[in-house]
Amino acid sequence: MNVLKKIFNSFFWCFTNIDEHNFLYKIVAFLGIVLRVGILPLLIPDIFEVIANFFLMQLCFPQWLYEIVIRIVLFIIDVLALSRIFYWTSYLSVGNSYESCSAPAWGSLLYTIYYTAYMAIPILLINYFEWWVIAVIFSTYLGSCILIYIISAFLDTLPYSWVLRAVIHFILFGILQLV
């Protein structure tokens, strides 16, 4: 129900106070929230559930006890708001490759791209932890980020200290992979 509420609020926001300057931004933001809130959870399992499942399966609990413990662990994760890590890292990554308010539609698209990547990469690494998968994921991410920086330079939306921010961006990516 919360998903439908977020999508409805975004839809309502998208079609109020429309003018030619923010119409593209509102459409991109609406499609981004539909992807992040509506479609992505159907395609990618919750990362914290995968991690909890990975560790709890090793304890060989009976099925009934496993169901209780995993619900308690997921409740604690939800109470601590650990899922906000992906929102903040996506927001910080966008800030590293995009100057605030320079092209809002581009920033919204970047946020959706980074959020999707940060949700998918840990799942891939947990499920397929082999050297070649890690190499493919890292090189794909690096290539995507370089492409994003090139497009941002073309659109003239790079922040002033973009080289330092790019280094911070890749450090942030490394830290996220350790989490």
Side-chain angles (χ1 to χ4, degrees), residues 10-173:
S10 177
F11 181 78
F12 183 72
W13 170 81
C14 184
F15 293 106
T16 56
N17 298 329
I18 296 175
D19 63 15
E20 61 191 52
H21 299 292
N22 67 1
F23 181 70
L24 182 62
Y25 164 64
K26 287 188 171 195
I27 294 296
V28 171
F30 173 70
L31 293 176
I33 201 160
V34 168
L35 177 73
R36 289 189 315 270
V37 175
I39 298 172
L40 199 60
L42 299 174
L43 300 176
I44 299 174
D46 181 24
I47 180 65
F48 296 109
E49 188 170 348
V50 171
I51 292 171
N53 185 23
F54 178 75
F55 287 113
L56 290 176
M57 290 300 283
Q58 296 176 5
L59 298 175
C60 299
F61 287 140
Q63 185 64 29
W64 64 271
L65 183 59
Y66 167 79
E67 292 293 330
I68 293 171
V69 172
I70 198 161
R71 294 298 155 220
I72 291 171
V73 169
L74 292 176
F75 175 74
I76 292 170
I77 288 170
D78 194 35
V79 167
L80 295 176
L82 293 178
S83 63
R84 294 286 179 200
I85 291 171
F86 295 104
Y87 294 110
W88 283 105
T89 52
S90 302
Y91 181 76
L92 291 173
S93 296
V94 169
N96 290 334
S97 58
Y98 161 78
E99 182 68 35
S100 181
C101 299
S102 58
W106 176 243
S108 182
L109 179 65
L110 288 179
Y111 181 78
T112 302
I113 290 169
Y114 282 124
Y115 183 81
T116 304
Y118 291 155
M119 291 299 285
I121 289 171
I123 297 291
L124 291 172
L125 291 177
I126 288 172
N127 289 332
Y128 309 104
F129 192 74
E130 296 187 32
W131 70 269
W132 64 272
V133 174
I134 295 170
V136 167
I137 289 172
F138 181 75
S139 59
T140 303
Y141 182 80
L142 182 65
S144 300
C145 288
I146 290 171
L147 181 64
I148 286 171
Y149 279 101
I150 290 170
I151 294 172
S152 292
F154 178 74
L155 295 174
D156 197 27
T157 61
L158 280 175
Y160 293 114
S161 57
W162 71 273
V163 175
L164 175 64
R165 289 175 178 252
V167 171
I168 293 170
H169 184 129
F170 292 113
I171 291 171
L172 181 68
F173 173 70

